[in-house]
Amino acid sequence: MKPYFSMTTLATACLLGSSLVASQATAQTTINLGYNGAPDADKNAVHVFAANLKTLVEEKTDGEIQLQLYPNSMLGEEQERMEQAMSSPMLNVASFAGVSPLVDEIFVSAIPFLFDDFDAARSFFDEGSYWQEVEKALQERAGIDMLAVVEEGGFLAFTNNKKPISHPDDFEGLRFRAMDPSQVALYEAFGASGTPIPWTEVYMALRTGVADGQMNPPMYIILGSLHEVQDYLTLANIQYSNQFLVGNSQMIESWEEETRNAFMEAVAEANQQAREHNESKVDERIAYLEEQGMEVIRPSEDDLTAFREIGQPAYLEWLSERNIDQRWIDMALEDAGMSDLLD
């Protein structure tokens, strides 16, 4: 993927951000928060987080900071929102597509089958040395603070409208929508093809046969009404589904210590609430998709092993082809308790 931020753009944005924040630090009390998806608590876990954060920030700072929510990418797509976070006092919930052009090493956290469950994933991001390095790199390279890892609906599942998929061999010849190049690499490892398609075009691509399938957590399948154009749901728990709350570093540094501490307390509490809400909805969402007519496939342990034994080496090779330094991979695998994958 070609980075969309040139060094000139990056330098200009950081200088502009510094001057803007310096002039507005004491005057601005309303902070914009942009994110993807509808303002629907039943369908969008990111909105649950954002709404909780707004309430908690305003409570804990005694109204000193007010958040203005902008769902549905109202402030722009991924690139535009990250540029805004670099150059102005704002918050953004970004996906891999927003963060990776600045810190390509973030793709290491999406190694397939890296986590067995929610607890393992949360420990990795909350306590791991790899993720601390990602946070440091984003701050140093772009002047953006990584504030929270926000769950967006559990673990990714495969869907398609051709046949039940329970084993990697079942992918042969199918065409899948990919969110980014890492997903293309994964599909190709299983014998399918992958084509990057923006989220806003996924429904029509599936409906018209441009793609046979895609992968997302059940939440996004419901949010995008993909069950209307997909017949089969494979619960392979491929990757932990997450986005990232980021904020302009100069803005956060400009706050008084008491305000900053109150804000970070609100972030932690909102994230915990969102996690509890998300996990409680997983089975309900799968049941809903089944009620809508999707056939739910739960691969056996042997089939999951086959997915893992094919998917992980292929993904690690893809990371190597992107020239990501091995130390990032080593740290992540160590944090995930998977040192056996190291050479």
Side-chain angles (χ1 to χ4, degrees):
M1 180 190 296
K2 183 179 180 180
Y4 50 67
F5 298 105
S6 68
M7 292 306 295
T8 301
T9 300
L10 180 60
T12 302
C14 288
L15 287 172
L16 179 59
S18 178
S19 61
L20 281 173
V21 173
S23 64
Q24 297 184 29
T26 57
Q28 180 155 346
T29 57
T30 300
I31 307 296
N32 293 341
L33 169 57
Y35 54 98
N36 299 322
D40 186 329
D42 290 331
K43 295 181 179 180
N44 189 357
V46 174
H47 175 70
V48 172
F49 168 77
N52 289 345
L53 182 63
K54 172 180 170 62
T55 299
L56 287 165
V57 164
E58 293 171 4
E59 286 178 356
K60 291 181 179 293
T61 64
D62 293 325
E64 182 178 346
I65 299 177
Q66 303 279 329
L67 296 189
Q68 181 67 46
L69 304 186
Y70 288 91
N72 280 327
S73 304
M74 291 171 63
L75 296 181
E77 298 296 338
E78 295 283 351
Q79 171 184 346
E80 296 170 287
R81 297 205 311 273
M82 288 300 285
E83 289 174 344
Q84 291 165 29
M86 290 163 61
S87 63
S88 63
M90 73 164 286
L91 300 170
N92 175 38
V93 182
S95 73
F96 279 83
V99 178
S100 61
L102 298 168
V103 183
D104 202 41
E105 295 88 349
I106 198 172
F107 278 124
V108 175
S109 68
I111 293 171
F113 311 103
L114 193 61
F115 313 114
D116 289 333
D117 52 33
F118 282 110
D119 288 342
R122 292 163 183 169
S123 176
F124 177 90
F125 289 104
D126 293 347
E127 304 167 12
S129 59
Y130 156 80
W131 195 247
Q132 292 174 14
E133 287 295 303
V134 170
E135 294 173 345
K136 180 180 177 182
L138 183 63
Q139 204 282 329
E140 291 178 346
R141 297 176 192 177
I144 294 176
D145 282 8
M146 178 72 73
L147 301 169
V149 176
V150 183
E151 290 180 2
E152 56 173 352
F155 286 80
L156 274 67
F158 295 116
T159 72
N160 85 101
N161 63 358
K162 292 296 185 181
K163 59 182 178 180
I165 292 176
S166 60
H167 187 276
D169 291 346
D170 298 326
F171 277 86
E172 187 67 35
L174 297 180
R175 296 169 298 178
F176 277 78
R177 174 262 177 172
M179 179 179 68
D180 54 51
S182 71
Q183 291 190 351
V184 174
L186 192 61
Y187 290 131
E188 290 179 348
F190 296 148
S193 61
T195 302
I197 297 173
W199 169 250
T200 52
E201 300 174 18
V202 172
Y203 181 93
M204 189 57 65
L206 296 171
R207 181 177 179 180
T208 59
V210 172
D212 301 315
Q214 59 88 55
M215 63 174 167
N216 259 306
M219 185 203 79
Y220 267 97
I221 297 167
I222 296 170
L223 182 65
S225 300
L226 304 187
H227 52 277
E228 296 177 358
V229 290
Q230 298 280 269
D231 297 327
Y232 306 102
L233 172 68
T234 300
L235 302 176
N237 286 359
I238 312 134
Q239 293 164 322
Y240 177 69
S241 179
N242 55 344
Q243 294 191 40
F244 313 99
L245 176 69
V246 300
N248 181 282
S249 300
Q250 292 280 345
M251 172 188 71
I252 295 168
E253 290 171 5
S254 74
W255 296 335
E256 296 290 337
E257 183 178 0
E258 183 178 355
T259 300
R260 188 164 54 248
N261 290 341
F263 173 81
M264 292 308 299
E265 287 178 8
V267 169
E269 190 171 330
N271 209 19
Q272 181 60 32
Q273 290 177 359
R275 286 175 173 182
E276 292 171 359
H277 174 84
N278 176 59
E279 191 167 358
S280 72
K281 290 287 186 179
V282 170
D283 291 340
E284 177 184 320
R285 288 169 176 150
I286 293 170
Y288 173 81
L289 291 172
E290 199 162 20
E291 290 169 2
Q292 299 306 303
M294 294 194 78
E295 179 180 336
V296 177
I297 298 97
R298 294 174 171 82
S300 67
E301 284 300 319
D302 287 345
D303 289 333
L304 289 175
T305 297
F307 277 118
R308 185 164 47 249
E309 289 180 347
I310 294 173
Q312 283 181 339
Y315 194 93
L316 291 171
E317 181 179 353
W318 178 80
L319 291 175
S320 177
E321 291 171 354
R322 291 183 76 85
N323 295 318
I324 291 176
D325 194 289
Q326 184 65 35
R327 75 180 186 89
W328 292 89
I329 299 170
D330 293 350
M331 281 190 296
L333 293 176
E334 184 75 28
D335 290 344
M338 301 184 72
S339 300
D340 55 307
L341 289 179
L342 297 173
D343 293 334

